[in-house]
Amino acid sequence: MSNKLHMTRRLPGARFLPAGAAPAAAYLAILLVVPLVVLVTYSFWKADFLSVTRTFTLENYTRFFSNDLYISILVKTLLTSFCVSSVIVFIAYQVAYAIVFRFKVWGPRILVLIMATLLSSYIVRLFSLTTILGTNGILNMALMGLGITDEPLTYLLYGYPAIIITLVYVYLPIAVLPIFAGLQGVDRTLHEASRDLGVGSIGTFTRVTLPLSMRGVRTAFAFCFILSAADYVAPQMVGGVDGQMIGAVIANQFGGGSNYPFGAMLSIMMICGFGVVLGFCLLVEKLVVRISRCHFWARMNGAKRVRVPDVPLTETTTLLALVFLFTPLLTVFVFSFNDTPNPGLPFGGITLHWYADVLTDAQFHRVLLTSLRVAGIALLGVMVLAVPVALVLVRRRFLLKKPLNMLIFAPMAVPGVVIGVALLATFVTLNVPLGTETAAAAHIMLVIPFVVQVVRTRFESVDANIEEAAHDLGSSSFRTLRTVTLPILLPAILGAGILAAAISLDELLVTNFIIGRDATIPVWIVSQLRTGLSPALNVVAILMLVGTLVLIGLAGLLLNGRKRARQRATTEGIDV
């Protein structure tokens, strides 16, 4: 009997949705689907003075289409995000290509370095870049020192150029991973066959490599476009009055503007704009693929027609990308010891008193405890909900499996600003007090996809015959789960838990809306940045960076520990 027949026989359950997946599905429906429905409903209501009139109206949509300002901001946002995503994909493709095809032994190490910058705190990366582009930053000081300019260039930190640079810096590592995965799936024998047929380097790339890796490119572009267009923190920090983005306008409507219906409408229009741009990009992609396959283009890319100079373009781009990603983080570390009241240049000497100030600051202690409390609650909740779902998705067959998959990973696809304002509107409507509990509830929903994916990947590698043998020996399903399945999955579960804690401690885009009067460390850093820069923020950024990397490192050790033990056991002839 095959493993699939064994699994079907020994794990009978509901035809539509197994009981193990029901709690997580219900939780995501309540914390994600219902708030999105509430947000759409709000867009058809009207805002009065400190209240909302709950009667159907199209006034918000009429106001949007009759006001060139909001249309202009949306168009600028989409164009800016398109530019950001295009630059990111262009750089990320070269980096991923060099990792897969050029660097050989060093490729995996370079990928780990790039992922390390991605795993560092979002707010740390934002803050670190301001130390480079600020008026007292390294770049302005270098330009003035070289005599290129007499005064700091303010547009480096304020305006659309600053927004583009910042968003490229923040989201570049995200694009490398899916493109790398796409290039990993390219069969290298196809390159050899292409060369044997007389096709040149450009022809091989356009007709073999690029089409086969296009799925990764498409995923990277979509993720970067949505994330950059919906980001509201970065534009607020570096945009200034001349660099408004629609995400920041939406955040303002749910903050100081206190116009929830209009903000909800802007969220809907932003999502519609995403659909239009991404749909257009998909059509362009299909057109480009057709052109690349035509006979004329194939002849133009023949070996005898085009000669490609042997220039290490991808290797150079990769090295420059690493410098671009690590320089701001190293700058924050160096300036955390700077004995001046400015977080940038000039460097006045080495001191540790900024570390002492932060570690003895009562306010920092308070926000640290809040962050740990939220992360602890989120960790307990996600373990209860996500682990059963991962087991069900691997071992069970049911009609709603695909919709459940989409629901589980939906929090990764919906922009953070939309989730944040939707939850805020829902909590306000239901008179739910904002605070640590609401933030923890949102964090559980946000980290479920990560825990499910980690545990699911590990469980897929477990031989189902091990559990089948326990059943044949008379063990019940619960006892098999307790004595066989969970011990095997324990390293992966612990690793996923540490990863969930790291994500929760770093979460900002959603937490900023629903934390109320409380504050986690990222929320507190943003509030401090609005009042002025201080060298103490360098210290907080370094502490967050080190804490996040330590947690991620522990998760990696736990996830790889079982794999190494299995390899040793296989070498010694022992079955693990």
Side-chain angles (χ1 to χ4, degrees):
M1 185 179 292
S2 66
N3 287 342
K4 292 183 179 179
L5 292 178
H6 279 303
M7 288 183 283
T8 303
R9 177 177 62 82
R10 65 182 169 79
L11 288 176
R15 180 182 179 185
F16 294 97
L17 186 67
Y27 191 88
L28 288 170
I30 295 173
L31 267 293
L32 182 61
V33 178
V34 171
L36 292 177
V37 173
V38 171
L39 189 68
V40 174
T41 304
Y42 257 86
S43 69
F44 294 103
W45 289 347
K46 180 181 179 182
D48 292 326
F49 180 71
L50 298 178
S51 64
V52 174
T53 302
R54 300 180 181 182
T55 55
F56 179 84
T57 179
L58 294 176
E59 179 178 326
N60 297 309
Y61 291 91
T62 303
R63 177 184 173 187
F64 175 82
F65 286 106
S66 61
N67 193 324
D68 293 338
L69 174 62
Y70 296 110
I71 296 177
S72 174
I73 293 176
L74 178 59
V75 172
K76 288 181 180 178
T77 298
L78 298 177
L79 291 176
T80 301
S81 300
F82 181 84
C83 178
V84 168
S85 303
S86 300
V87 172
I88 288 176
V89 169
F90 176 75
I91 298 174
Y93 197 98
Q94 295 186 65
V95 173
Y97 188 92
I99 291 173
V100 175
F101 297 111
R102 300 293 189 187
F103 284 113
K104 298 180 180 179
V105 177
W106 282 95
R109 300 174 185 177
I110 293 175
L111 181 64
V112 170
L113 289 175
I114 293 174
M115 291 303 103
T117 64
L118 173 62
L119 296 173
S120 61
S121 174
Y122 164 83
I123 191 62
V124 169
R125 283 178 284 152
L126 280 182
F127 175 70
S128 65
L129 200 60
T130 62
T131 63
I132 301 290
L133 303 179
T135 54
N136 292 321
I138 293 177
L139 185 56
N140 269 314
M141 288 297 180
L143 293 175
M144 289 189 293
L146 294 173
I148 298 177
T149 179
D150 296 329
E151 57 184 13
L153 302 178
T154 56
Y155 65 81
L156 290 176
L157 190 60
Y158 299 108
Y160 285 105
I163 292 176
I164 293 174
I165 295 173
T166 302
L167 293 177
V168 168
Y169 174 72
V170 170
Y171 297 115
L172 174 60
I174 294 178
V176 173
L177 198 56
I179 296 177
F180 168 80
L183 289 172
Q184 280 282 88
V186 177
D187 189 352
R188 303 196 182 195
T189 59
L190 296 176
H191 290 175
E192 298 176 3
S194 178
R195 287 192 292 268
D196 292 342
L197 293 173
V199 180
S201 300
I202 295 179
T204 300
F205 175 77
T206 57
R207 294 172 61 82
V208 178
T209 308
L210 183 59
L212 292 177
S213 62
M214 205 63 201
R215 183 176 182 180
V217 174
R218 192 185 306 118
T219 301
F221 184 90
F223 265 109
C224 293
F225 180 82
I226 293 173
L227 291 172
S228 60
D231 195 320
Y232 67 93
V233 176
Q236 287 178 340
M237 289 179 59
V238 302
V241 293
D242 297 328
Q244 294 188 25
M245 298 276 281
I246 193 67
V249 177
I250 293 171
N252 182 62
Q253 298 301 316
F254 284 85
S258 297
N259 192 337
Y260 289 13
F262 191 71
M265 182 276 304
L266 290 177
S267 301
I268 303 303
M269 298 308 301
M270 179 181 69
I271 294 175
C272 292
F274 291 171
V276 171
V277 173
L278 294 177
F280 174 76
C281 292
L282 186 60
L283 292 176
V284 172
E285 175 200 333
K286 292 181 178 180
L287 179 62
V288 170
V289 170
R290 286 187 177 183
I291 293 176
S292 67
R293 291 176 177 175
C294 70
H295 181 67
F296 173 76
W297 185 253
R299 292 185 60 191
M300 288 296 295
N301 287 303
K304 298 180 180 180
R305 298 274 180 156
V306 179
R307 291 184 178 181
V308 181
D310 188 16
V311 179
L313 177 62
T314 58
E315 296 92 324
T316 303
T317 302
T318 302
L319 295 178
L320 292 176
L322 288 174
V323 172
F324 176 60
L325 292 173
F326 275 96
T327 298
L329 297 177
L330 293 175
T331 302
V332 169
F333 175 75
V334 172
F335 284 168
S336 67
F337 300 100
N338 190 9
D339 190 15
T340 63
N342 297 317
L345 294 173
F347 196 85
I350 298 177
T351 182
L352 293 175
H353 74 82
W354 300 116
Y355 283 87
D357 290 346
V358 170
L359 295 177
T360 58
D361 186 5
Q363 189 178 16
F364 176 73
H365 294 166
R366 185 168 59 254
V367 297
L368 176 61
L369 289 175
T370 300
S371 294
L372 294 176
R373 190 180 304 117
V374 171
I377 298 173
L379 179 59
L380 292 175
V382 76
M383 289 294 105
V384 173
L385 294 174
V387 173
V389 173
L391 303 182
V392 164
L393 289 174
V394 174
R395 290 290 192 258
R396 298 288 291 275
R397 291 181 177 181
F398 49 95
L399 294 178
L400 297 180
K401 191 170 186 176
K402 288 185 178 180
L404 177 63
N405 257 313
M406 296 177 61
L407 181 62
I408 291 295
F409 293 98
M412 300 177 65
V414 181
V417 64
V418 175
I419 295 178
V421 299
L423 287 172
L424 175 61
T426 303
F427 290 146
V428 170
T429 302
L430 299 177
N431 294 319
V432 176
L434 302 178
T436 302
E437 294 75 15
T438 53
H443 285 200
I444 293 173
M445 179 258 295
L446 293 172
V447 299
I448 280 178
F450 298 94
V451 176
V452 168
Q453 184 60 31
V454 171
V455 178
R456 179 183 181 177
T457 302
R458 176 67 185 97
F459 196 34
E460 285 175 342
S461 65
V462 175
D463 189 354
N465 288 324
I466 298 176
E467 298 164 280
E468 184 63 30
H471 282 281
D472 292 341
L473 292 174
S475 179
S476 63
S477 297
F478 177 75
R479 185 177 180 183
T480 301
L481 177 66
R482 180 174 58 85
T483 62
V484 178
T485 306
L486 290 182
I488 294 175
L489 296 178
L490 184 59
I493 293 174
L494 293 176
I498 295 175
L499 177 63
I503 295 172
S504 175
L505 290 171
D506 183 46
E507 213 296 311
L508 171 64
L509 299 179
V510 175
T511 310
N512 198 33
F513 289 102
I514 57 176
I515 194 68
R517 295 183 178 180
D518 297 327
T520 58
I521 292 180
V523 174
W524 179 67
I525 291 178
V526 170
S527 65
Q528 295 297 308
L529 290 175
R530 291 168 180 165
T531 59
L533 297 177
S534 168
L537 293 178
N538 288 321
V539 176
V540 177
I542 291 299
L543 294 177
M544 283 195 65
L545 176 61
V546 171
T548 302
L549 293 180
V550 167
L551 288 175
I552 297 300
L554 289 175
L557 290 175
L558 288 170
L559 292 174
N560 291 329
R562 181 67 181 176
K563 181 179 179 180
R564 291 175 183 151
R566 190 177 184 87
Q567 290 174 346
R568 288 197 301 269
T570 302
T571 303
E572 297 171 3
I574 302 173
D575 185 19
V576 177

